[in-house]
Amino acid sequence: ALFIYMSISHRFINSDVSLFPTTIFDQGDADMDISEEMEEIRELLYSLISIKFPRGVAADHLAKIYKEDYVDSGLGPELPSNWLSQVKAAEEFETQARGPLTILFVRLHNGPTKKSVVPPASGVVSPSPIVSIGKDQTTPSYSPIQLAVMLSLSKESILAGSRVIVVAFTHAQDFYIRLESSHDELTKLKKHLKSEYSTANAVKSQDVIVNGGYSLKDSQGDHFRVIAVSPPTLSSSVQCFFVDIGVRGSFPLSNLRHLTKESAQMCCTLATRVSLSIGKDGLHRALRHILFTQDENGQTTPTPFEIISIDNENRSGCRMIEMKDANGKTIDQLLIQSLQKGKENKSEEEEESHLPSHLTLPAIGSLSDFDTWMEMSGMGVNGMPRRPFLAHAIYASGPGEISLRQASLDPMPDYLYDRLNEECIDPASTLKGPPQPGRFYAANVNGVWQRAQVIRSSKIDPNSFLIYLIDVGAFHYSRPSAIRRLNALSPFKKMLIFKCKVFGVSPMGGVEVWSRDAQMAVNDFLDKCENWPVEVVPRSEWTVFTGLNAPSLPLIEASIRSREGRDLADWLVYNRLAQPSI
């Protein structure tokens, strides 16, 4: 269970119309701007700090990132000149003066709070302990996140007239190309990474940072630059994205090494994510025949193409392209020619046998129905364990609310995510209209498809929707372009998580708000559990967690113990971050 913060906190309000609050702030301070626009700005800032800077962020750097993430993309309004004073007036934020800098943190409530999170299958990863204060003010050492940023900002220059080959193909709307001339550069890079590999220290499980840059040796002994897209699983494997060839795969943690700045900057990332606009659906198998050919030895090789036009990156990092082969024929022309020759009628088994495994499109299967609404429900309270059991931590807002998933469900969640990813690249899953509140969909959150329920449209941007990630227990904003219909015939119709409140503790001093230190202490406790599930010891009867308009989930008050037997409640009390409530 990944432990990443993407937080939007909501408080209960009394309303005859809806249980869903209009804002997370309901204070009566006369100096606080309580307009709807300012309230949503504070909500977005709260989310941004929790997502990217859970350990704090300098105010000027936060304003810069807010503009890039929300203003430039049209998801939020511009910050007013007095935005910092408005944030300071809200109890959800905490500020500290460090020399000339103002550092902002977020605080959470002792009650149901909603966090937008992205969970891989297992493992707990804590955020970087370094306060983020901007590019020129951070520590001089290079963290995996900083190295990943270097890779993302240095991309191969592909222009009209460039000759390219396809290096990874899954779908006409999502595949990777690189310059045909970059082969020697890739070979030189691999040799350099190999020379560093023997002297580099292995990466420990607790040090793996999701979305961080690393070096990896694959099963063939080749070396590549990768981004870790998941924490280590219980079997000590890590899901990685190869930035120079556009491939994803799961590899042993023992094959991972720390990437050096020299390797990150040795050359730009060679793989470019692109999309083709083809005139008809259902031609993806024929397209694979065009993009790849077989040599005289029966080996599949990519076909060289020339770029006719290439657009700038969209918000998902993909570029729309047009290209032609050596004879000047466009992709549309080649597809028509391919169909006329009957290639589309070849069996799928014959096609797949000629393609390398990382170039094939996973089969979704014949049973799919994207026109019928998917109905889902949480685990039944009567079927939840009464005796101590093991569970993976998904996320925590503090001692008052932790999302977990029973370890006994493994490895079913892995199958769920694999199946969901396959279905979401099916053109039939594309929305045929705006998302409908209350309906279940799939949403792409930081590159991971998540099952979600649409709650409502944004108050400021009607084209942005608030969704609830049902396998995480968290809220998140998403646009329709990142939302897909679910396959109503999918066997996965249960929400996998349950909610837990730590038994026997309450905030220090009898207040109603958990301190930021208590929140981070829960994070640290779960981080020290590394990849192992925690033991959950029920201390109450199972009830139903019904927070706001979110779906119902099982709720338990329980003791949580690490593999070594440490009790979370005792640990909080010992560190004077909580007081006994019994």
Side-chain angles (χ1 to χ4, degrees):
L2 176 62
F3 218 62
I4 298 181
Y5 305 86
M6 300 172 58
S7 313
I8 301 175
S9 177
H10 297 270
R11 296 176 63 183
F12 289 105
I13 62 169
N14 293 323
S15 173
D16 294 331
V17 177
S18 172
L19 289 176
F20 197 84
T22 58
T23 174
I24 62 175
F25 307 95
D26 58 355
Q27 302 178 65
D29 194 323
D31 296 327
M32 177 181 285
D33 182 352
I34 58 173
S35 66
E36 189 171 88
E37 180 172 307
M38 190 65 228
E39 288 172 341
E40 186 143 356
I41 286 175
R42 283 192 289 261
E43 184 175 286
L44 293 173
L45 288 171
Y46 188 97
S47 171
L48 189 59
I49 296 174
S50 301
I51 295 169
K52 296 186 175 181
F53 312 111
R55 300 280 185 168
V57 58
D60 57 349
H61 186 56
L62 177 63
K64 175 185 175 183
I65 301 302
Y66 175 90
K67 182 178 184 299
E68 294 173 353
D69 285 10
Y70 295 112
V71 179
D72 293 346
S73 64
L75 289 174
E78 293 187 4
L79 293 176
S81 58
N82 67 337
W83 72 270
L84 184 56
S85 62
Q86 290 297 323
V87 167
K88 288 181 178 180
E91 67 175 19
E92 274 76 10
F93 296 89
E94 179 179 336
T95 62
Q96 292 182 8
R98 297 184 183 178
L101 299 175
T102 299
I103 307 299
L104 291 172
F105 304 90
V106 295
R107 302 177 66 188
L108 297 167
H109 292 281
N110 180 28
T113 50
K114 308 296 174 282
K115 321 301 291 174
S116 301
V117 193
V118 182
S122 59
V124 177
V125 176
S126 78
S128 168
I130 303 171
V131 172
S132 301
I133 57 176
K135 181 178 178 182
D136 299 327
Q137 299 167 300
T138 49
T139 172
S141 62
Y142 294 94
S143 70
I145 294 296
Q146 290 172 312
L147 293 167
V149 170
M150 292 181 191
L151 294 174
S152 67
L153 295 178
S154 175
K155 297 185 178 181
E156 194 171 47
S157 178
I158 297 180
L159 307 170
S162 298
R163 288 181 58 82
V164 299
I165 58 173
V166 176
V167 290
F169 177 76
T170 55
H171 195 272
Q173 278 71 53
D174 190 0
F175 61 100
Y176 288 84
I177 62 174
R178 67 173 171 84
L179 290 174
E180 187 181 24
S181 60
S182 65
H183 175 76
D184 292 342
E185 197 167 14
L186 179 61
T187 301
K188 181 180 178 181
L189 173 65
K190 289 159 68 173
K191 288 182 178 179
H192 177 76
L193 292 171
K194 183 177 181 179
S195 67
E196 292 185 336
Y197 188 87
S198 58
T199 57
N201 294 326
V203 180
K204 297 180 180 179
S205 175
Q206 64 268 24
D207 294 334
V208 175
I209 298 178
V210 175
N211 296 326
Y214 296 92
S215 170
L216 178 81
K217 180 174 71 173
D218 72 2
S219 57
Q220 303 299 317
D222 290 325
H223 297 259
F224 297 93
R225 300 180 297 187
V226 301
I227 301 294
V229 296
S230 77
T233 65
L234 291 176
S235 59
S236 294
S237 62
V238 180
Q239 191 78 12
C240 298
F241 172 71
F242 292 65
V243 298
D244 297 303
I245 57 175
V247 176
R248 289 176 183 261
S250 183
F251 292 85
L253 175 63
S254 58
N255 288 23
L256 208 63
R257 295 292 185 271
H258 288 288
L259 187 67
T260 64
K261 177 189 175 185
E262 181 182 2
S263 295
Q265 297 181 331
M266 183 175 178
C267 64
C268 59
T269 54
L270 304 180
T272 299
R273 186 183 180 194
V274 296
S275 172
L276 283 171
S277 177
I278 57 177
K280 298 179 181 180
D281 294 330
L283 301 180
H284 307 297
R285 280 182 283 171
L287 181 59
R288 287 203 294 266
H289 281 291
I290 294 170
L291 300 178
F292 304 99
T293 58
Q294 293 183 33
D295 60 22
E296 57 186 12
N297 298 319
Q299 298 295 318
T300 299
T301 59
T303 304
F305 288 91
E306 180 180 330
I307 296 294
I308 300 174
S309 65
I310 180 166
D311 295 343
N312 294 327
E313 288 186 356
N314 59 22
R315 289 180 185 138
S316 63
C318 196
R319 306 178 69 179
M320 184 71 70
I321 64 170
E322 293 184 32
M323 55 186 186
K324 62 184 179 180
D325 68 1
N327 298 318
K329 292 185 177 180
T330 65
I331 293 296
D332 280 338
Q333 292 172 332
L334 291 170
L335 281 170
I336 294 173
Q337 178 180 314
S338 174
L339 292 176
Q340 290 174 345
K341 290 181 178 180
K343 285 190 174 183
E344 185 69 1
N345 296 324
K346 285 192 173 184
S347 68
E348 183 176 346
E349 292 77 14
E350 180 182 353
E351 292 183 24
E352 300 298 339
S353 66
H354 295 315
L355 289 173
S357 59
H358 71 275
L359 298 176
T360 61
L361 178 66
I364 295 176
S366 58
L367 296 178
S368 62
D369 178 7
F370 295 100
D371 294 324
T372 303
W373 292 113
M374 166 75 89
E375 297 295 336
M376 282 185 281
S377 60
M379 297 287 186
V381 170
N382 294 334
M384 299 301 291
R386 264 60 180 176
R387 296 182 178 180
F389 62 98
L390 298 180
H392 297 297
I394 303 298
Y395 97 93
S397 65
E401 184 187 351
I402 302 174
S403 289
L404 302 106
R405 187 184 66 236
Q406 297 178 67
S408 60
L409 296 175
D410 296 342
M412 186 266 285
D414 292 332
Y415 300 145
L416 185 156
Y417 279 101
D418 288 344
R419 178 67 177 268
L420 189 63
N421 182 67
E422 293 174 7
E423 293 175 343
C424 288
I425 61 177
D426 188 328
S429 68
T430 304
L431 295 182
K432 298 178 180 179
Q436 297 186 25
R439 295 295 187 183
F440 293 97
Y441 296 86
N444 193 301
V445 182
N446 283 3
V448 179
W449 287 104
Q450 299 284 345
R451 300 188 302 173
Q453 185 180 40
V454 171
I455 303 301
R456 59 165 172 83
S457 61
S458 168
K459 295 181 177 64
I460 292 180
D461 181 5
N463 293 320
S464 180
F465 290 82
L466 182 67
I467 60 175
Y468 188 79
L469 306 178
I470 64 174
D471 296 315
V472 181
F475 283 97
H476 183 70
Y477 279 105
S478 184
R479 285 185 173 273
S481 59
I483 298 176
R484 297 289 184 271
R485 289 286 296 261
L486 288 173
N487 176 15
L489 300 181
S490 170
F492 303 107
K493 291 181 167 61
K494 286 290 185 182
M495 305 174 209
L496 304 181
I497 66 165
F498 65 91
K499 294 287 186 177
C500 179
K501 180 178 180 180
V502 178
F503 173 75
V505 291
S506 60
M508 292 294 290
V511 299
E512 292 299 318
V513 177
W514 284 104
S515 68
R516 182 177 60 87
D517 290 338
Q519 171 204 354
M520 300 312 298
V522 174
N523 303 343
D524 293 339
F525 180 93
L526 295 173
D527 175 49
K528 288 181 173 63
C529 295
E530 297 183 346
N531 299 325
W532 297 96
V534 295
E535 181 185 29
V536 179
V537 183
R539 301 294 188 183
S540 69
E541 294 296 321
W542 286 93
T543 57
V544 177
F545 178 88
T546 53
L548 305 177
N549 289 340
S552 299
L553 296 166
L555 172 66
I556 189 69
E557 194 167 353
S559 299
I560 295 179
R561 296 171 181 167
S562 69
R563 183 187 179 207
E564 295 79 16
R566 289 187 303 148
D567 185 277
L568 176 55
D570 292 343
W571 191 70
L572 291 170
V573 172
Y574 176 80
N575 287 281
R576 298 188 178 183
L577 298 171
Q579 63 185 27
S581 60
I582 54 174

